[in-house]
Each structure stands twice: as structure tokens, then as C-alpha cells.
Amino acid sequence: DVKVTQSSRYLVKRTGEKVFLECVQDMDHENMFWYRQDPGLGLRLIYFSYDVKMKEKGDIPEGYSVSREKKERFSLILESASTNQTSMYLCASSLRTGSRTQYFGPGTRLTVL
Amino acid sequence: DQQVKQNSPSLSVQEGRISILNCDYTNSMFDYFLWYKKYPAEGPTFLISISSIKDKNEDGRFTVFLNKSAKHLSLHIVPSQPGDSAVYFCAAGRFLNFGNEKLTFGTGTRLTIIP
């Protein structure tokens, strides 16, 4: 079974803090993704990566950056957290060939005060 | 520009009856479609997918239908069970070079199964 884990289930941070969200997958997937989910807006793609050290902007990259130094790990960084970044953050991974099904982690509920 | 739309934010269905969740898309270049189910405070779990070259895919109680001419897909759950109560997202993707692909998600439909 594919396993995608995220470093925290719940996180509370202050405005202006630097925030790191970590994601690890154990199925040797090439692709990794970061989404945020907000009520009425569905899942919106922030960044994705299809290889180590590669990254591509998604639909809403502003205010975020990412890092992929190892194949199994994909980090999302909020350089200076703001209240409008309060959200559920979801990490996913998929193979580059064959089934492109994305498998999701449990999510991190981030609250920025 | 919302390329994948789920126009019903919520749906209530009696236990044992059929649940039908709908999804419309605008981009005729999508190659495959997926349905995910999401419980509160959990990540989405993959349910079922369909290639754009097919019009139906079935897996147990779940069947996905694709109507390419209408750019419409639907998920049928029969019989509906209380554990099916969740938010359902449809998603669409394209096969691109180097696996450089992303999914486009709809906004979700909250399904409530009434015992």
C-alpha cells in the first residue's frame, strides 16, 4: 500500500513566522504535489515536483516555496505566514508512468493567528 | 476558469438507494478522470478512475460513467451505505511528457446518507 505521511496533523503559527510542512512517501513515486483545501474551493494545487530538485508552480504558488532534495520527501515552506494561509494542506504522490493516480497524505490543518 | 465543475455542493440520499454524483468539464483534452472520497480531517482517498477512451468503469458498488460528447461524468453508488457519507471530488488529468502532470479538481459534493 502507498503510504504518504505528513509531519503534523495540526499546527498553529503566528503571523510572520516561517512555516515548514514536510511530506514523505514510501512508494518510490517520482511526482509529488502540495494542495490546499478550502470550503467551497475544492483542492487547489500550490506546487508540484516531478523529480528531485525539480519544481513547478501550480495554480496558487504566491506566498509559498517548496524543496525536494530527496525523492521521497517534499517540503512546503511558508516564508512569512499570513492569516489567509489558514487552511488544510494536503500532500500527494504519484508515479510518472502507468497509473497516474495520486495518493494523498492525511493532511495538516494549519491555523495562522 | 473552473475547468472541472461539481454544481451540486450537497446531496442527501436514503440508505439503500442509489447515489448519483455529477461532474462537468470544459477541456476536451483531458485523458483520464478520477473520483476521490474525503472524510473530515483526513486526506482524500482514491475511489475509481476512467480513461477517456472508455464510457464506463465499475468497481463493486461504484460505477463511473463518462459521456465525452456532453463533457460529463457521473459516479453511481449502489446501494448507498452510511459509511459513504463524505465529500466526493472529481478530478481530471492529461498525459504529458516526463510525467509532468497535474490533476484539476472539482469543488466537491458533500454526500449524506440518511439511515
Side-chain angles (χ1 to χ4, degrees), chain B residues 47-114:
Chain B
L47 265 180
I48 192 168
S49 63
I50 187 166
S51 163
S52 62
I53 62 173
K54 297 194 170 187
D55 55 16
K56 178 182 174 181
N57 189 26
E58 196 170 350
D59 184 2
R61 296 186 298 115
F62 302 93
T63 304
V64 56
F65 295 92
L66 176 63
N67 182 334
K68 286 187 69 176
S69 60
K71 295 191 179 70
H72 176 84
L73 68 154
S74 60
L75 174 69
H76 293 211
I77 307 172
V78 57
S80 300
Q81 299 174 354
D84 296 329
S85 294
V87 177
Y88 289 78
F89 292 99
C90 68
R94 294 183 60 194
F95 296 132
L96 299 172
N97 291 335
F98 303 110
N100 184 6
E101 301 158 3
K102 56 181 183 177
L103 293 177
T104 301
F105 282 83
T107 52
T109 296
R110 180 177 302 279
L111 175 65
T112 302
I113 304 302
I114 304 165

Side-chain angles (χ1 to χ4, degrees), chain A residues 43-97:
Chain A
L43 276 69
R44 293 182 292 166
L45 182 65
I46 304 171
Y47 267 98
F48 66 104
S49 168
Y50 54 92
D51 205 345
V52 175
K53 298 192 185 295
M54 305 302 290
K55 60 184 179 183
E56 293 281 341
K57 291 180 179 179
D59 301 315
I60 51 164
E62 298 77 18
Y64 303 94
S65 61
V66 290
S67 172
R68 188 145 180 224
E69 296 297 319
K70 292 184 177 181
K71 189 175 185 180
E72 68 271 18
R73 189 178 296 269
F74 192 34
S75 303
L76 179 69
I77 303 152
L78 286 67
E79 295 290 343
S80 177
S82 63
T83 55
N84 63 12
Q85 291 179 311
T86 291
S87 187
M88 168 72 93
Y89 288 87
L90 295 160
C91 175
S93 70
S94 71
L95 286 169
R96 187 185 297 170
T97 57

